[in-house]
Amino acid sequence: MNAETLLRDMRRQLRDGGLHGCLLVRDLHTGEELGIEPDTQLPAASLVKVPLALATAERIRRGELDGATMLDVRPGRITTPGPTGLSRFRHPARLAIDDLLYLSTCVSDGTAADALFDLTPPAQVAGILHELGLRGITVRHTMRELSDTPVERFDAAQAHLAHALAIDAGTSGGGHRVPQLDTTRANTGSARSYVELLQALWTPSTIHPEVAARVRGLMTHHLLRHRLAPDFSSDATTWSSKTGTLLNLRHEIGVVEHSDGQAFAIAVLTESLVPASTQPGADALMSQVARGLRDHLRQL
């Protein structure tokens, strides 16, 4: 199957599965790539925790922060499904910056991420990305804003109403009645911009090798492995990733490294068109399409 036929088939599969998908898969050694709407900007959700980890690790390297510094963190006390770690704690906790970095990136803990954002605000994270020559990722706000969506205003039996609003209240220009889904106000990125970030982390770049290695290690230990990991994990591969989920958004970025030396950066950003919070079929479809693109590149 040639690339054009493959992409047409993958678009059909996404459409039939109720997903609008923006994908890019790139061979990190040859630069060959395949994508579907790779330059479309979408709200980033928890994917922004990777730029946050990069900025935090860079400031530790510069001596502006000390990873051993202990911080008192207020509990998140969030009771709705989804949030993890300190976000669900009922009592204050005292943790080191290094451990907050682990919780934010590996457990996708929004409260830990906000403790790091208090040290390195969104504008400063964006500034560090700019210094490193990384474009296309916009960092505008902390994670606190993601905990006040329509989902928190309905009971569990009415979650589908929040997802229906997320699906139907957008505009063709990227605006949205839900602020967290409005690309002019949210943290945003494209599949291409996140693949560029992955390439800078996995291959020689303007990112200091010590910092790149630290962020790679955090992504390798990411605990949420229900989305793309089933198709990219084996005894002969290493899958390092970060997920992002918000209302009808389902994202994952990562790098699969094969024992034969090949490595592929993968970014899958999707919007579900089905008003339901639990959609394992959508997660499986994302993984299937991403693997199809990877398999094609791997055979070139």
mmCIF file with all atom_site columns, all heavy atoms in Angstrom, residues 86-102:
data_model
loop_
_atom_site.group_PDB
_atom_site.id
_atom_site.type_symbol
_atom_site.label_atom_id
_atom_site.label_alt_id
_atom_site.label_comp_id
_atom_site.label_asym_id
_atom_site.label_entity_id
_atom_site.label_seq_id
_atom_site.pdbx_PDB_ins_code
_atom_site.Cartn_x
_atom_site.Cartn_y
_atom_site.Cartn_z
_atom_site.occupancy
_atom_site.B_iso_or_equiv
_atom_site.pdbx_formal_charge
_atom_site.auth_seq_id
_atom_site.auth_comp_id
_atom_site.auth_asym_id
_atom_site.auth_atom_id
_atom_site.pdbx_PDB_model_num
ATOM 1   N N   . LEU A 1 86  ? -1.444  14.200 43.999 1.00 0.00 ? 86  LEU A N   1
ATOM 2   C CA  . LEU A 1 86  ? -1.770  15.263 44.949 1.00 0.00 ? 86  LEU A CA  1
ATOM 3   C C   . LEU A 1 86  ? -3.114  15.908 44.654 1.00 0.00 ? 86  LEU A C   1
ATOM 4   O O   . LEU A 1 86  ? -3.745  16.466 45.555 1.00 0.00 ? 86  LEU A O   1
ATOM 5   C CB  . LEU A 1 86  ? -0.687  16.344 44.924 1.00 0.00 ? 86  LEU A CB  1
ATOM 6   C CG  . LEU A 1 86  ? 0.716   15.922 45.381 1.00 0.00 ? 86  LEU A CG  1
ATOM 7   C CD1 . LEU A 1 86  ? 1.724   17.008 45.033 1.00 0.00 ? 86  LEU A CD1 1
ATOM 8   C CD2 . LEU A 1 86  ? 0.730   15.639 46.862 1.00 0.00 ? 86  LEU A CD2 1
ATOM 9   N N   . SER A 1 87  ? -3.557  15.829 43.406 1.00 0.00 ? 87  SER A N   1
ATOM 10  C CA  . SER A 1 87  ? -4.847  16.407 43.033 1.00 0.00 ? 87  SER A CA  1
ATOM 11  C C   . SER A 1 87  ? -5.993  15.768 43.813 1.00 0.00 ? 87  SER A C   1
ATOM 12  O O   . SER A 1 87  ? -7.045  16.378 43.996 1.00 0.00 ? 87  SER A O   1
ATOM 13  C CB  . SER A 1 87  ? -5.099  16.238 41.531 1.00 0.00 ? 87  SER A CB  1
ATOM 14  O OG  . SER A 1 87  ? -4.117  16.925 40.788 1.00 0.00 ? 87  SER A OG  1
ATOM 15  N N   . ARG A 1 88  ? -5.790  14.536 44.303 1.00 0.00 ? 88  ARG A N   1
ATOM 16  C CA  . ARG A 1 88  ? -6.819  13.840 45.057 1.00 0.00 ? 88  ARG A CA  1
ATOM 17  C C   . ARG A 1 88  ? -6.512  13.802 46.559 1.00 0.00 ? 88  ARG A C   1
ATOM 18  O O   . ARG A 1 88  ? -7.309  13.265 47.333 1.00 0.00 ? 88  ARG A O   1
ATOM 19  C CB  . ARG A 1 88  ? -6.994  12.418 44.527 1.00 0.00 ? 88  ARG A CB  1
ATOM 20  C CG  . ARG A 1 88  ? -7.257  12.368 43.026 1.00 0.00 ? 88  ARG A CG  1
ATOM 21  C CD  . ARG A 1 88  ? -7.755  11.009 42.603 1.00 0.00 ? 88  ARG A CD  1
ATOM 22  N NE  . ARG A 1 88  ? -9.168  10.859 42.900 1.00 0.00 ? 88  ARG A NE  1
ATOM 23  C CZ  . ARG A 1 88  ? -10.169 11.294 42.127 1.00 0.00 ? 88  ARG A CZ  1
ATOM 24  N NH1 . ARG A 1 88  ? -9.899  11.915 40.991 1.00 0.00 ? 88  ARG A NH1 1
ATOM 25  N NH2 . ARG A 1 88  ? -11.421 11.114 42.470 1.00 0.00 ? 88  ARG A NH2 1
ATOM 26  N N   . PHE A 1 89  ? -5.360  14.351 46.971 1.00 0.00 ? 89  PHE A N   1
ATOM 27  C CA  . PHE A 1 89  ? -5.009  14.355 48.389 1.00 0.00 ? 89  PHE A CA  1
ATOM 28  C C   . PHE A 1 89  ? -6.008  15.188 49.181 1.00 0.00 ? 89  PHE A C   1
ATOM 29  O O   . PHE A 1 89  ? -6.552  16.179 48.685 1.00 0.00 ? 89  PHE A O   1
ATOM 30  C CB  . PHE A 1 89  ? -3.605  14.931 48.600 1.00 0.00 ? 89  PHE A CB  1
ATOM 31  C CG  . PHE A 1 89  ? -2.493  13.924 48.424 1.00 0.00 ? 89  PHE A CG  1
ATOM 32  C CD1 . PHE A 1 89  ? -2.631  12.842 47.576 1.00 0.00 ? 89  PHE A CD1 1
ATOM 33  C CD2 . PHE A 1 89  ? -1.297  14.079 49.105 1.00 0.00 ? 89  PHE A CD2 1
ATOM 34  C CE1 . PHE A 1 89  ? -1.612  11.926 47.405 1.00 0.00 ? 89  PHE A CE1 1
ATOM 35  C CE2 . PHE A 1 89  ? -0.266  13.167 48.953 1.00 0.00 ? 89  PHE A CE2 1
ATOM 36  C CZ  . PHE A 1 89  ? -0.416  12.092 48.105 1.00 0.00 ? 89  PHE A CZ  1
ATOM 37  N N   . ARG A 1 90  ? -6.211  14.813 50.438 1.00 0.00 ? 90  ARG A N   1
ATOM 38  C CA  . ARG A 1 90  ? -7.107  15.547 51.331 1.00 0.00 ? 90  ARG A CA  1
ATOM 39  C C   . ARG A 1 90  ? -6.349  16.465 52.289 1.00 0.00 ? 90  ARG A C   1
ATOM 40  O O   . ARG A 1 90  ? -6.942  17.343 52.916 1.00 0.00 ? 90  ARG A O   1
ATOM 41  C CB  . ARG A 1 90  ? -7.949  14.569 52.144 1.00 0.00 ? 90  ARG A CB  1
ATOM 42  C CG  . ARG A 1 90  ? -8.872  13.699 51.294 1.00 0.00 ? 90  ARG A CG  1
ATOM 43  C CD  . ARG A 1 90  ? -9.737  12.814 52.163 1.00 0.00 ? 90  ARG A CD  1
ATOM 44  N NE  . ARG A 1 90  ? -10.639 11.991 51.363 1.00 0.00 ? 90  ARG A NE  1
ATOM 45  C CZ  . ARG A 1 90  ? -11.555 11.182 51.873 1.00 0.00 ? 90  ARG A CZ  1
ATOM 46  N NH1 . ARG A 1 90  ? -11.679 11.074 53.199 1.00 0.00 ? 90  ARG A NH1 1
ATOM 47  N NH2 . ARG A 1 90  ? -12.332 10.462 51.104 1.00 0.00 ? 90  ARG A NH2 1
ATOM 48  N N   . HIS A 1 91  ? -5.042  16.235 52.427 1.00 0.00 ? 91  HIS A N   1
ATOM 49  C CA  . HIS A 1 91  ? -4.258  16.982 53.402 1.00 0.00 ? 91  HIS A CA  1
ATOM 50  C C   . HIS A 1 91  ? -2.996  17.526 52.744 1.00 0.00 ? 91  HIS A C   1
ATOM 51  O O   . HIS A 1 91  ? -2.514  16.983 51.739 1.00 0.00 ? 91  HIS A O   1
ATOM 52  C CB  . HIS A 1 91  ? -3.891  16.084 54.591 1.00 0.00 ? 91  HIS A CB  1
ATOM 53  C CG  . HIS A 1 91  ? -5.075  15.420 55.210 1.00 0.00 ? 91  HIS A CG  1
ATOM 54  N ND1 . HIS A 1 91  ? -5.986  16.091 55.997 1.00 0.00 ? 91  HIS A ND1 1
ATOM 55  C CD2 . HIS A 1 91  ? -5.530  14.132 55.123 1.00 0.00 ? 91  HIS A CD2 1
ATOM 56  C CE1 . HIS A 1 91  ? -6.934  15.253 56.391 1.00 0.00 ? 91  HIS A CE1 1
ATOM 57  N NE2 . HIS A 1 91  ? -6.682  14.055 55.869 1.00 0.00 ? 91  HIS A NE2 1
ATOM 58  N N   . PRO A 1 92  ? -2.428  18.603 53.287 1.00 0.00 ? 92  PRO A N   1
ATOM 59  C CA  . PRO A 1 92  ? -1.192  19.167 52.731 1.00 0.00 ? 92  PRO A CA  1
ATOM 60  C C   . PRO A 1 92  ? -0.059  18.147 52.727 1.00 0.00 ? 92  PRO A C   1
ATOM 61  O O   . PRO A 1 92  ? -0.020  17.222 53.544 1.00 0.00 ? 92  PRO A O   1
ATOM 62  C CB  . PRO A 1 92  ? -0.882  20.341 53.664 1.00 0.00 ? 92  PRO A CB  1
ATOM 63  C CG  . PRO A 1 92  ? -2.189  20.682 54.303 1.00 0.00 ? 92  PRO A CG  1
ATOM 64  C CD  . PRO A 1 92  ? -2.928  19.385 54.439 1.00 0.00 ? 92  PRO A CD  1
ATOM 65  N N   . ALA A 1 93  ? 0.862   18.321 51.803 1.00 0.00 ? 93  ALA A N   1
ATOM 66  C CA  . ALA A 1 93  ? 2.023   17.433 51.693 1.00 0.00 ? 93  ALA A CA  1
ATOM 67  C C   . ALA A 1 93  ? 3.281   18.280 51.519 1.00 0.00 ? 93  ALA A C   1
ATOM 68  O O   . ALA A 1 93  ? 3.225   19.415 51.039 1.00 0.00 ? 93  ALA A O   1
ATOM 69  C CB  . ALA A 1 93  ? 1.864   16.483 50.515 1.00 0.00 ? 93  ALA A CB  1
ATOM 70  N N   . ARG A 1 94  ? 4.410   17.726 51.905 1.00 0.00 ? 94  ARG A N   1
ATOM 71  C CA  . ARG A 1 94  ? 5.699   18.398 51.770 1.00 0.00 ? 94  ARG A CA  1
ATOM 72  C C   . ARG A 1 94  ? 6.584   17.543 50.865 1.00 0.00 ? 94  ARG A C   1
ATOM 73  O O   . ARG A 1 94  ? 6.916   16.394 51.204 1.00 0.00 ? 94  ARG A O   1
ATOM 74  C CB  . ARG A 1 94  ? 6.339   18.597 53.144 1.00 0.00 ? 94  ARG A CB  1
ATOM 75  C CG  . ARG A 1 94  ? 7.615   19.426 53.136 1.00 0.00 ? 94  ARG A CG  1
ATOM 76  C CD  . ARG A 1 94  ? 8.007   19.767 54.584 1.00 0.00 ? 94  ARG A CD  1
ATOM 77  N NE  . ARG A 1 94  ? 9.283   20.441 54.662 1.00 0.00 ? 94  ARG A NE  1
ATOM 78  C CZ  . ARG A 1 94  ? 9.471   21.744 54.436 1.00 0.00 ? 94  ARG A CZ  1
ATOM 79  N NH1 . ARG A 1 94  ? 8.435   22.499 54.092 1.00 0.00 ? 94  ARG A NH1 1
ATOM 80  N NH2 . ARG A 1 94  ? 10.660  22.292 54.530 1.00 0.00 ? 94  ARG A NH2 1
ATOM 81  N N   . LEU A 1 95  ? 6.965   18.093 49.721 1.00 0.00 ? 95  LEU A N   1
ATOM 82  C CA  . LEU A 1 95  ? 7.719   17.325 48.731 1.00 0.00 ? 95  LEU A CA  1
ATOM 83  C C   . LEU A 1 95  ? 8.845   18.171 48.146 1.00 0.00 ? 95  LEU A C   1
ATOM 84  O O   . LEU A 1 95  ? 8.776   19.397 48.108 1.00 0.00 ? 95  LEU A O   1
ATOM 85  C CB  . LEU A 1 95  ? 6.823   16.859 47.580 1.00 0.00 ? 95  LEU A CB  1
ATOM 86  C CG  . LEU A 1 95  ? 5.727   15.856 47.911 1.00 0.00 ? 95  LEU A CG  1
ATOM 87  C CD1 . LEU A 1 95  ? 4.419   16.575 48.122 1.00 0.00 ? 95  LEU A CD1 1
ATOM 88  C CD2 . LEU A 1 95  ? 5.580   14.832 46.806 1.00 0.00 ? 95  LEU A CD2 1
ATOM 89  N N   . ALA A 1 96  ? 9.869   17.476 47.641 1.00 0.00 ? 96  ALA A N   1
ATOM 90  C CA  . ALA A 1 96  ? 10.968  18.133 46.947 1.00 0.00 ? 96  ALA A CA  1
ATOM 91  C C   . ALA A 1 96  ? 10.567  18.451 45.505 1.00 0.00 ? 96  ALA A C   1
ATOM 92  O O   . ALA A 1 96  ? 9.710   17.784 44.918 1.00 0.00 ? 96  ALA A O   1
ATOM 93  C CB  . ALA A 1 96  ? 12.201  17.235 46.960 1.00 0.00 ? 96  ALA A CB  1
ATOM 94  N N   . ILE A 1 97  ? 11.221  19.445 44.932 1.00 0.00 ? 97  ILE A N   1
ATOM 95  C CA  . ILE A 1 97  ? 10.953  19.816 43.538 1.00 0.00 ? 97  ILE A CA  1
ATOM 96  C C   . ILE A 1 97  ? 11.165  18.616 42.620 1.00 0.00 ? 97  ILE A C   1
ATOM 97  O O   . ILE A 1 97  ? 10.366  18.368 41.698 1.00 0.00 ? 97  ILE A O   1
ATOM 98  C CB  . ILE A 1 97  ? 11.848  20.998 43.113 1.00 0.00 ? 97  ILE A CB  1
ATOM 99  C CG1 . ILE A 1 97  ? 11.424  22.275 43.851 1.00 0.00 ? 97  ILE A CG1 1
ATOM 100 C CG2 . ILE A 1 97  ? 11.791  21.210 41.601 1.00 0.00 ? 97  ILE A CG2 1
ATOM 101 C CD1 . ILE A 1 97  ? 12.348  23.455 43.612 1.00 0.00 ? 97  ILE A CD1 1
ATOM 102 N N   . ASP A 1 98  ? 12.226  17.835 42.859 1.00 0.00 ? 98  ASP A N   1
ATOM 103 C CA  . ASP A 1 98  ? 12.476  16.647 42.027 1.00 0.00 ? 98  ASP A CA  1
ATOM 104 C C   . ASP A 1 98  ? 11.289  15.692 42.056 1.00 0.00 ? 98  ASP A C   1
ATOM 105 O O   . ASP A 1 98  ? 10.930  15.094 41.025 1.00 0.00 ? 98  ASP A O   1
ATOM 106 C CB  . ASP A 1 98  ? 13.716  15.909 42.529 1.00 0.00 ? 98  ASP A CB  1
ATOM 107 C CG  . ASP A 1 98  ? 15.018  16.579 42.095 1.00 0.00 ? 98  ASP A CG  1
ATOM 108 O OD1 . ASP A 1 98  ? 14.998  17.299 41.083 1.00 0.00 ? 98  ASP A OD1 1
ATOM 109 O OD2 . ASP A 1 98  ? 16.040  16.373 42.773 1.00 0.00 ? 98  ASP A OD2 1
ATOM 110 N N   . ASP A 1 99  ? 10.673  15.522 43.223 1.00 0.00 ? 99  ASP A N   1
ATOM 111 C CA  . ASP A 1 99  ? 9.549   14.591 43.339 1.00 0.00 ? 99  ASP A CA  1
ATOM 112 C C   . ASP A 1 99  ? 8.279   15.163 42.714 1.00 0.00 ? 99  ASP A C   1
ATOM 113 O O   . ASP A 1 99  ? 7.463   14.417 42.165 1.00 0.00 ? 99  ASP A O   1
ATOM 114 C CB  . ASP A 1 99  ? 9.321   14.230 44.804 1.00 0.00 ? 99  ASP A CB  1
ATOM 115 C CG  . ASP A 1 99  ? 10.506  13.459 45.393 1.00 0.00 ? 99  ASP A CG  1
ATOM 116 O OD1 . ASP A 1 99  ? 11.127  12.692 44.642 1.00 0.00 ? 99  ASP A OD1 1
ATOM 117 O OD2 . ASP A 1 99  ? 10.819  13.657 46.577 1.00 0.00 ? 99  ASP A OD2 1
ATOM 118 N N   . LEU A 1 100 ? 8.113   16.472 42.783 1.00 0.00 ? 100 LEU A N   1
ATOM 119 C CA  . LEU A 1 100 ? 6.993   17.108 42.088 1.00 0.00 ? 100 LEU A CA  1
ATOM 120 C C   . LEU A 1 100 ? 7.136   16.929 40.576 1.00 0.00 ? 100 LEU A C   1
ATOM 121 O O   . LEU A 1 100 ? 6.147   16.728 39.867 1.00 0.00 ? 100 LEU A O   1
ATOM 122 C CB  . LEU A 1 100 ? 6.925   18.593 42.440 1.00 0.00 ? 100 LEU A CB  1
ATOM 123 C CG  . LEU A 1 100 ? 6.494   18.918 43.868 1.00 0.00 ? 100 LEU A CG  1
ATOM 124 C CD1 . LEU A 1 100 ? 6.763   20.387 44.177 1.00 0.00 ? 100 LEU A CD1 1
ATOM 125 C CD2 . LEU A 1 100 ? 5.020   18.592 44.083 1.00 0.00 ? 100 LEU A CD2 1
ATOM 126 N N   . LEU A 1 101 ? 8.373   16.991 40.110 1.00 0.00 ? 101 LEU A N   1
ATOM 127 C CA  . LEU A 1 101 ? 8.629   16.788 38.686 1.00 0.00 ? 101 LEU A CA  1
ATOM 128 C C   . LEU A 1 101 ? 8.225   15.380 38.269 1.00 0.00 ? 101 LEU A C   1
ATOM 129 O O   . LEU A 1 101 ? 7.610   15.175 37.211 1.00 0.00 ? 101 LEU A O   1
ATOM 130 C CB  . LEU A 1 101 ? 10.115  17.028 38.412 1.00 0.00 ? 101 LEU A CB  1
ATOM 131 C CG  . LEU A 1 101 ? 10.608  17.144 36.979 1.00 0.00 ? 101 LEU A CG  1
ATOM 132 C CD1 . LEU A 1 101 ? 9.811   18.180 36.200 1.00 0.00 ? 101 LEU A CD1 1
ATOM 133 C CD2 . LEU A 1 101 ? 12.087  17.484 36.971 1.00 0.00 ? 101 LEU A CD2 1
ATOM 134 N N   . TYR A 1 102 ? 8.525   14.403 39.102 1.00 0.00 ? 102 TYR A N   1
ATOM 135 C CA  . TYR A 1 102 ? 8.108   13.022 38.830 1.00 0.00 ? 102 TYR A CA  1
ATOM 136 C C   . TYR A 1 102 ? 6.582   12.912 38.809 1.00 0.00 ? 102 TYR A C   1
ATOM 137 O O   . TYR A 1 102 ? 6.002   12.339 37.875 1.00 0.00 ? 102 TYR A O   1
ATOM 138 C CB  . TYR A 1 102 ? 8.690   12.071 39.891 1.00 0.00 ? 102 TYR A CB  1
ATOM 139 C CG  . TYR A 1 102 ? 8.026   10.715 39.871 1.00 0.00 ? 102 TYR A CG  1
ATOM 140 C CD1 . TYR A 1 102 ? 8.365   9.772  38.900 1.00 0.00 ? 102 TYR A CD1 1
ATOM 141 C CD2 . TYR A 1 102 ? 7.022   10.392 40.782 1.00 0.00 ? 102 TYR A CD2 1
ATOM 142 C CE1 . TYR A 1 102 ? 7.738   8.535  38.856 1.00 0.00 ? 102 TYR A CE1 1
ATOM 143 C CE2 . TYR A 1 102 ? 6.390   9.149  40.740 1.00 0.00 ? 102 TYR A CE2 1
ATOM 144 C CZ  . TYR A 1 102 ? 6.748   8.229  39.774 1.00 0.00 ? 102 TYR A CZ  1
ATOM 145 O OH  . TYR A 1 102 ? 6.113   7.021  39.726 1.00 0.00 ? 102 TYR A OH  1
#
